[in-house]
Amino acid sequence: MFDTVLIVALSALSIALLLLFIRVIIGPSTQDRILALDAIGVLLVGFIGILMILQDTSVYSDIVLVLTILGFVGTLTLSKFLERGVVIEHDD
Amino acid sequence: MPFQILINVLLAILWMFLQNEYTVVNFISGYVIGILILFIIRRFLKFDFYLKRVWAIIKLIYLFIVELIKANIDVVKVVLKPKQDHQPGIVAVRTQLESNFEISILAALITLTPGTISMDFSNDSKTIYVHSIDVPDKEAMIKDIQGSFEKAIMEVTK
Amino acid sequence: MNTMIDVLVAIFVVIGVFFAVVSAIGIVRLKDVYSRAHASGKSATLGVIFIMLAVFIHFLSQGVMNAKILLAILFLFLTAPVASLMITRSAYRNGVKLEKNTVIDDLKEMYEIDQNQSK
């Protein structure tokens, strides 16, 4: 019963990821695409979390951390690049 | 305040040595006893008891979580409404907070509260521009932000 | 005892997945990038925080205190507002249109003043 709930949850998350992917493809502006990719990153973290419960292992916890940080840095870099044309600003 | 925390940690380590058991549980119980000792002798030390500030931080976090859950119920309502007729808008909110740290906390709080996300700062960083998903009443929204969050943040950092 | 914890974990997972799905629907359905940022910045974050809490409780019931999960929750909490702020700001500065029934736009004035000063 418990496993069934988790598998249903995983399928629902997959559908959510698919919907986000639609937004990545059609998104009128580049910012829409970044937003959807950021949300995909966040939802993947949840996906891996449910897999951790399902497989009863805690070895994925490092992946969760790295994915969180990488998703954040990627979003920041892309939006900063679109805003100013540079990623790292110099004061001169 | 750093001095008091240092005393507290030292008391906790002392307690751990006295128990002759070097475990996390002993350290935590020592820390709690250290808090009690500091609370009793606070009058002789001639400075404010630092837990007052910790209490303010806990209140701020509580506010944060409650607002986050309210915000999500709000988003669910907006997203699942059959007809999308909400009226979004960008509102300028003046703030009295001064340091960059306080203003960034306020911006983060605004983002996680019902119907609003912070978008941009003015050049003197005295005004936060807030995008709201539904603005029936501009003044009430500004008053809400200034009344609840600014006060809670000021209590922590003043 | 064990089934109690399983039920709790299942409830948390279901709540989290509900919020995640709502945020995905919101990102597809809402009309402009600023409104979509509401869906992604709030609902997706809270949903995933609920799921990670479920993971934490599940491993705690087996006697494993997994601090990395708590760290991931903290990171999600701290980074979500910054990410949505950066995206909406870059969208506004690149001139992405607001949706048509927008009522107030205070930010426009500031950029007009800015451009007049730089002339």
Side-chain angles (χ1 to χ4, degrees), chain B:
Chain B
M1 169 149 162
F3 182 63
Q4 287 184 64
I5 293 176
L6 190 67
I7 291 179
N8 209 336
V9 170
L10 279 179
L11 283 174
I13 291 173
L14 193 68
W15 178 260
M16 210 161 66
F17 283 163
L18 287 175
Q19 298 288 314
N20 207 11
E21 273 175 47
Y22 309 102
T23 59
V24 180
V25 178
N26 259 321
F27 185 82
I28 291 171
S29 57
Y31 200 86
V32 171
I33 289 168
I35 288 173
L36 275 177
I37 292 173
L38 276 177
F39 183 68
I40 291 165
I41 62 168
R42 70 191 183 283
R43 226 170 276 166
F44 307 111
L45 292 174
K46 299 240 164 71
F47 39 65
D48 253 4
F49 187 47
Y50 82 93
L51 272 193
K52 235 182 234 169
R53 210 175 254 195
V54 173
W55 181 242
I57 292 174
I58 290 173
K59 265 202 296 195
L60 185 67
I61 292 172
Y62 171 74
L63 185 76
F64 214 78
I65 292 170
V66 168
E67 290 291 332
L68 182 60
I69 290 171
K70 266 198 265 171
N72 276 285
I73 293 167
D74 201 58
V75 168
V76 170
K77 267 187 213 154
V78 169
V79 167
L80 297 183
K81 208 160 61 174
K83 194 158 175 282
Q84 302 241 323
D85 53 356
H86 51 85
Q87 300 174 321
I90 300 173
V91 180
V93 178
R94 298 283 296 175
T95 166
Q96 301 156 5
L97 301 173
E98 273 161 14
S99 69
N100 282 340
F101 178 68
E102 291 168 333
I103 291 172
S104 37
I105 287 187
L106 181 63
L109 263 176
I110 288 172
T111 297
L112 296 176
T113 49
T116 53
I117 50 174
S118 46
M119 275 185 62
D120 207 342
F121 303 101
S122 63
N123 289 332
D124 58 353
S125 57
K126 281 281 172 200
T127 307
I128 301 179
Y129 292 93
V130 173
H131 180 269
S132 176
I133 206 161
D134 205 355
V135 247
D137 188 359
K138 185 179 161 185
E139 296 302 321
M141 202 197 93
I142 294 175
K143 205 161 278 173
D144 195 37
I145 288 171
Q146 284 175 343
S148 57
F149 302 130
E150 270 196 325
K151 262 202 330 226
I153 292 173
M154 271 175 173
E155 238 172 81
V156 173
T157 56
K158 75 177 169 218

Side-chain angles (χ1 to χ4, degrees), chain A residues 12-79:
Chain A
L13 266 187
S14 317
I15 293 168
L17 286 171
L18 214 65
L19 286 176
L20 289 175
F21 204 69
I22 293 172
R23 179 53 73 190
V24 173
I25 293 168
I26 64 170
S29 66
T30 322
Q31 276 82 10
D32 281 304
R33 298 198 171 97
I34 298 173
L35 193 75
L37 282 174
D38 181 50
I40 285 179
V42 173
L43 288 203
L44 269 181
V45 171
F47 201 89
I48 295 171
I50 297 178
L51 273 185
M52 276 168 79
I53 303 179
L54 201 60
Q55 300 182 355
D56 222 351
T57 162
S58 62
V59 290
Y60 298 151
S61 51
D62 292 307
I63 302 176
V64 165
L65 262 182
V66 171
L67 206 58
T68 321
I69 299 165
L70 273 188
F72 173 62
V73 173
T75 309
L76 274 200
T77 317
L78 273 172
S79 47

Side-chain angles (χ1 to χ4, degrees), chain A residues 23 32 56 62 83-84, chain C residues 27-28 36 62 68 93:
Chain A
R23 179 53 73 190
D32 281 304
D56 222 351
D62 292 307
E83 193 181 318
R84 301 259 169 82
Chain C
I27 287 175
V28 172
R36 283 173 206 140
Q62 299 175 352
K68 277 175 197 160
R93 292 195 175 164

Side-chain angles (χ1 to χ4, degrees), chain C residues 47-91:
Chain C
V48 173
I49 284 176
F50 264 111
I51 294 174
M52 293 330 267
L53 276 179
V55 176
F56 183 71
I57 293 169
H58 180 76
F59 285 113
L60 199 64
S61 72
Q62 299 175 352
V64 184
M65 168 95 178
N66 203 335
K68 277 175 197 160
I69 302 291
L70 287 183
L71 211 59
I73 292 174
L74 185 72
F75 278 148
L76 278 172
F77 217 65
L78 290 179
T79 56
V82 182
S84 72
L85 187 143
M86 290 299 288
I87 291 169
T88 47
R89 189 168 77 177
S90 86

